[in-house]
Each structure stands twice: as structure tokens, then as C-alpha cells.
Amino acid sequence: MNKQKQQKKLISLLIILAMALGLAACGANAPSASGSGTLPTVDPSGAEIIVPEEIDSIVVMAPSIAETVVALGYGDKIIAYDISSMGLEGLPENVPVFDLVEPDMEQLVSLKPDLLLVTNLSLYDESNPYQQLIDLGVCVACIPSSDSIADIQSDIAFIAAVLGESKKGDALIAQMQVEIDEIVAIAQGITEKKTVYFEISAAPYMYSFGKGVFLNEMIELIGAENILAGEEGWLSVSEESVVAANPDVILTNVNYIDNPTQEIMERSGWDALAAVQNGDVYYIDNMASSLPNQNVVKAMRQMAEAIYPEYYGK
């Protein structure tokens, strides 16, 4: 019963994520100009913001954002976060925790943080759910889910700018790019591209992605081909379509079952797949491959080493 509940919750979050990618903003629309000040005046969603000169209290409503805030040295300023961020390194314990999709607005108001960082997953069905906080003088900045590496880097730069730490943000992005460039340089020498199926939700609710998702971009930069690259965005996948594509390699970041790679290897009708026959089914770190922030390079390296050990192996 617990597994069924976990699976249903996962599918709901995946559907919300897919919907969120199509939404433009968390707050009211605003002109795209960023103003002449050193602090941002427009967030990535296009909403106008007023960033305080001093930020002593932060609430983060997404684990991807939480990891970036911590990496920039502001973990000790976080006074609350979403439930999905629980357990992340660098976050304080014994602080309020909120539901990611529908946070307790009354409790948020009582905290009155200097800065609230959200994505378009929170209260996604409302046009401006945080107006009450904005009216109280809280800076609410929305960072919609990114679908490319360039957008992820832009989000890091924005968060750093809001915190007044642009130099730290530049350094974080530069290190990220160095690691990506190293992988891309190796990929240029790969002439025979392998086909890949990347599973983010296991059977019977199989889920993956096509083009327009940063994970697909990562597969291509490694020098491989996503079997679903002809489709768009986050996808519900049929077993028949994977079997028909016969991928060379299967990757999974499913972490809610005991042994996701073994489950794939033992699926009925999958024993004829090249990936299964050759044992080329691998687990990729769930957090690094799920959260659009600087840590995607960790997942990218794992993916590269799994797909092409002869090129990327240590």
C-alpha cells in the first residue's frame, strides 16, 4: 500500500512538472527590463521584484533552489523550506517545512522572510498566489523549472545576484561549464552513437522525456541519442515503444523501489533488448539528475561513464 501511494504521488508530481514547464510566471507579468540597479528588478518568470539590500532570512520552496542557495554560502539564512528538500546537505534542522505543491500560506505569512524563492510548481493553478506576502513587503522571486543547461546557468546567476553574490555565482557557473566542456570534448571523438532510454518512473507508470528537457540535452552532449528525442517534453511511455526502439543502454534514476536496475532487467518481454542482454542498465543519482541546478554535471558524468565507459571511464 505504501508503494502504491508513493507511485501515485510521484506520477502526480511528474504531471505537475510537465504542466509547469508550459507556464510562464508565478506572479504578475512585468516588463522584461531589469533596471539599472545592481540588484535584479525582474525575476525569471517576468514578475517585478524588489530585492532588499540586506537578506537575513530566506524560505526556499524547491530542492533545486535550496542546493544553489547553500552552494552560494547562504544555507544558514534559510529559515524554512519545502518537504522535498528535507535531508539536503547544508540545510538547517528543526525549521518549518512546507508542502511543495500547496504550501500553508498562513504559516508563510507568519514567518515574513526577507526573501521567498519559489518555482512554478507551488500553487501552480493560481496566477499570483503570493500576493499577500508581497503586500507585506516580502520579496517573492519565482524561478520556473528550467529545460536547458543554459537556463539552469541563468537561474544560478539570478539567485546569486539576488543574494548580492554575483562573483560566487559566476565561479559556480564557470566550474560547471569546465566539467561540461571536458565531456563535450570527449564526445566529439565518438563516431558510433549509442541509443539510450532514460526512465524516471518505473513500470507500470513508465515516464521519460523527449527533446526540450535538460536531460535530453545532456544525453546529446555526451554523444548519444535519446530513443524518444523525436517527441517533446516529459512523456508517459509504453513498454511496447521501448521494446520497439531496442536501446543500447537503459538508465534509470528511480529511487522509490529497492533495485530499479534489476526490476528493468527482469521485466517480462525485455530480455531480448540489447541493453538487457548486455547488462547495460545503470542507475543515475536521482537528485543530481532531477534537480535543475549546478549538480546536473554530476549526473552528466555518471551518464557518460555508463554509456561510454571506454571513453569516459576513469
Side-chain angles (χ1 to χ4, degrees):
M1 190 65 163
N2 288 336
K3 283 188 177 180
Q4 289 179 340
K5 287 183 178 179
Q6 286 179 328
Q7 289 171 341
K8 287 181 180 179
K9 184 175 182 181
L10 173 68
I11 298 304
S12 297
L13 287 173
L14 288 171
I15 292 171
I16 291 167
L17 176 59
M19 292 173 61
L21 290 172
L23 299 177
C26 299
N29 289 335
S32 59
S34 60
S36 58
T38 57
L39 295 173
T41 59
V42 176
D43 71 19
S45 80
E48 289 183 345
I49 57 173
I50 300 175
V51 180
E53 293 290 337
E54 295 289 334
I55 296 177
D56 294 314
S57 58
I58 305 170
V59 174
V60 289
M61 293 298 295
S64 58
I65 298 173
E67 287 190 332
T68 299
V69 171
V70 169
L72 292 168
Y74 278 70
D76 61 339
K77 303 290 186 183
I78 295 175
I79 61 170
Y81 45 83
D82 64 282
I83 194 168
S84 297
S85 295
M86 291 182 67
L88 291 180
E89 185 177 350
L91 290 182
E93 298 180 358
N94 302 317
V95 298
V97 176
F98 292 91
D99 183 273
L100 173 65
V101 178
E102 196 169 1
D104 184 332
M105 296 303 294
E106 185 175 344
Q107 189 177 17
L108 271 175
V109 168
S110 70
L111 291 174
K112 198 180 178 183
D114 296 323
L115 176 65
L116 171 61
L117 295 170
V118 304
T119 72
N120 45 349
L121 298 185
S122 298
L123 292 163
Y124 63 92
D125 59 344
E126 297 184 27
S127 60
N128 194 4
Y130 300 104
Q131 190 59 53
Q132 185 178 2
L133 284 158
I134 296 170
D135 291 343
L136 289 172
V138 176
C139 175
V140 179
C142 176
I143 305 168
S145 299
S146 293
D147 54 14
S148 72
I149 291 173
D151 287 343
I152 291 171
Q153 292 175 328
S154 179
D155 293 343
I156 294 170
F158 170 77
I159 295 170
V162 167
L163 298 176
E165 298 288 356
S166 288
K167 288 185 177 180
K168 287 185 180 179
D170 290 343
L172 200 59
I173 294 167
Q175 180 57 41
M176 180 183 178
Q177 193 60 50
V178 165
E179 296 182 50
I180 292 171
D181 290 344
E182 289 175 352
I183 291 173
V184 171
I186 294 172
Q188 291 174 350
I190 297 172
T191 55
E192 296 184 10
K193 295 186 176 183
K194 292 183 180 180
T195 56
V196 178
Y197 167 60
F198 195 125
E199 188 166 280
I200 61 176
S201 178
Y205 308 107
M206 292 165 56
Y207 226 79
S208 187
F209 51 85
K211 61 185 178 182
V213 174
F214 66 87
L215 284 166
N216 181 74
E217 181 183 3
M218 289 159 63
I219 290 173
E220 292 179 345
L221 290 174
I222 288 165
E225 295 179 350
N226 177 9
I227 63 168
L228 299 170
E231 301 188 56
E232 188 84 31
W234 304 96
L235 306 166
S236 177
V237 181
S238 69
E239 292 197 46
E240 293 78 10
S241 65
V242 178
V243 171
N246 191 20
D248 297 313
V249 179
I250 297 175
L251 305 177
T252 177
N253 67 359
V254 170
N255 64 351
Y256 58 87
I257 59 178
D258 291 337
N259 194 329
T261 56
Q262 182 178 351
E263 187 275 328
I264 290 172
M265 294 282 287
E266 295 177 352
R267 281 182 192 168
S268 176
W270 284 43
D271 55 324
L273 293 182
V276 173
Q277 289 186 347
N278 297 325
D280 286 327
V281 181
Y282 306 98
Y283 176 77
I284 304 301
D285 185 86
N286 178 271
M287 298 296 276
S289 60
S290 299
L291 305 181
N293 63 26
Q294 67 279 357
N295 293 324
V296 295
V297 294
K298 174 183 177 181
M300 192 172 176
R301 170 62 66 177
Q302 289 182 358
M303 291 161 63
E305 292 175 356
I307 298 168
Y308 296 114
E310 67 275 28
Y311 288 94
Y312 297 101
K314 295 178 181 178

